[in-house]
Amino acid sequence: MQLSLEQAAALCRMAALGAGASDETARSIAAAAIAAEAEGNTAVGLSHYIDYLEALEAGRIRGKAEPVITRPALAVYLSDAQGGAAHTGFDRVFEDIAKTARLFGVTIFSQKNAYTAGALGYFTGRLAEQGLVSFAATNGPALLAGSGSTKPVYCTNPMSFACPQADGGPLIVDQSSSATAFLNIRTAAADGKAIPEGWALDASGNPTTDATAAMKGALLAFGGSRGANIALMVEVLAAGLSGANWSLDAPWFDGGSDSPGTGLFVLAIEPKLLDPDFEKRMKDQLHRLNHHYGVHIPGLSKAAATEKASARGITVSKEIVERIADFAERHKR
């Protein structure tokens, strides 16, 4: 089905309201899902949005939770999501984060007790559009084996980095610490497809290409112990600093009624205070890397896809639209 971004956003907002979200939370999670779908990141787009709706219905996301945001220092924002969505508290203070970074040069946003954050580049990319360099980290329920272990101890623990460039879309790096995203394993298991070697272990700790067996085992980090160490670093930033659940203690994100209580860490930096010509230098450097050395610049293709989707809309499977529409109908009633 073909939908304009406005139609998709309205449908997702109504569906979240039908699932029990406040209007503020409905708008926040709908905007994030539509942004992911528009840029081609469909794994955390509208198909994943159904997970959010089911989590709202089951209570894993407290739809009407009011995030409690404090400011223990002028450049630090602490958010307790109170079991709600990860996006609501960030959206509340987004403009303040940007203004504070411009004033002091740096701002930290740290959050606990939230549902999983979805596309992490959504957070850093928005700050880059404000002219800021940013870094983000988040965690979730344990899925990934640590260095030397065969049992899951970390989530896929993604991290994202973004920065602006003059006259162009931002550079956005958004990647997990695992060799692949958990959603790719889940999709392969549902489709009965094999997965590549090096992605996962089975429940006995043996390497496997069976996606169903991997669902009962553990994902593997990219780059072996180096990737696992990055997962640990992300865990400390996202859960350690915020007081959120460690991945080992986080309830599962798509079952039961308990929030995974995850953490989110976002760092924003004003580059112009360090180098007034930063954006121009970034433009020249990215152009040199791409055009003279063939380097792929992450984020640029997503920016182009989003621009195209803004003009032409998005194509979504009828089944996904109908499942979202079912929740929207509840709000109408």
Side-chain angles (χ1 to χ4, degrees), residues 242-306:
S242 67
N245 279 337
W246 301 108
S247 292
L248 278 169
D249 303 319
W252 196 240
F253 73 90
D254 66 352
S257 59
D258 295 327
S259 166
T262 63
L264 174 66
F265 172 87
V266 182
L267 173 68
I269 303 167
E270 171 55 270
K272 295 183 183 66
L273 294 177
L274 304 176
D275 179 4
D277 296 325
F278 174 79
E279 290 191 18
K280 174 62 167 56
R281 292 180 63 241
M282 279 304 307
K283 176 185 178 180
D284 293 343
Q285 174 68 350
L286 295 180
H287 179 84
R288 176 168 63 167
L289 290 173
N290 181 245
H291 287 78
H292 297 286
Y293 292 90
V295 175
H296 168 70
I297 307 301
L300 300 190
S301 61
K302 292 181 178 180
T306 298

Side-chain angles (χ1 to χ4, degrees), residues 71 73-77 93-109 127-128 130-134 266-274:
R71 200 173 177 182
L74 291 177
V76 178
Y77 292 84
V93 295
F94 174 74
E95 295 294 337
D96 293 331
I97 291 171
K99 290 177 183 177
T100 302
R102 295 188 189 106
L103 180 62
F104 295 105
V106 63
T107 310
I108 290 173
F109 175 86
L127 289 167
Q130 295 290 315
L132 302 171
V133 174
S134 59
V266 182
L267 173 68
I269 303 167
E270 171 55 270
K272 295 183 183 66
L273 294 177
L274 304 176

Side-chain angles (χ1 to χ4, degrees), residues 55-223:
L56 283 164
E57 184 179 48
R60 293 188 293 277
I61 300 176
R62 290 184 57 215
K64 292 182 170 59
E66 290 285 341
V68 176
I69 300 174
T70 57
R71 200 173 177 182
L74 291 177
V76 178
Y77 292 84
L78 295 183
S79 173
D80 184 339
Q82 300 284 307
H87 308 80
T88 311
F90 182 80
D91 284 351
R92 271 195 188 184
V93 295
F94 174 74
E95 295 294 337
D96 293 331
I97 291 171
K99 290 177 183 177
T100 302
R102 295 188 189 106
L103 180 62
F104 295 105
V106 63
T107 310
I108 290 173
F109 175 86
S110 181
Q111 180 171 260
K112 64 181 179 181
N113 294 335
Y115 191 71
T116 53
L120 198 55
Y122 177 70
F123 298 87
T124 57
R126 289 168 63 193
L127 289 167
E129 289 170 357
Q130 295 290 315
L132 302 171
V133 174
S134 59
F135 175 82
T138 190
N139 75 320
L143 294 164
L144 176 72
S147 179
S149 77
T150 58
K151 300 296 183 183
V153 294
Y154 311 128
C155 190
T156 55
N157 282 15
M159 56 185 177
S160 179
F161 172 83
C163 71
Q165 63 164 324
D167 306 317
L171 161 70
I172 305 176
V173 177
D174 184 358
Q175 63 188 55
S176 65
S177 301
S178 55
T180 190
F182 169 74
L183 292 174
N184 292 335
I185 301 285
R186 188 172 71 175
T187 299
D191 295 341
K193 295 181 178 179
I195 58 175
E197 293 182 0
W199 275 17
L201 304 173
D202 64 19
S204 299
N206 300 311
T208 184
T209 58
D210 184 328
T212 301
M215 293 281 288
K216 300 175 183 178
L219 301 187
L220 289 170
F222 76 86

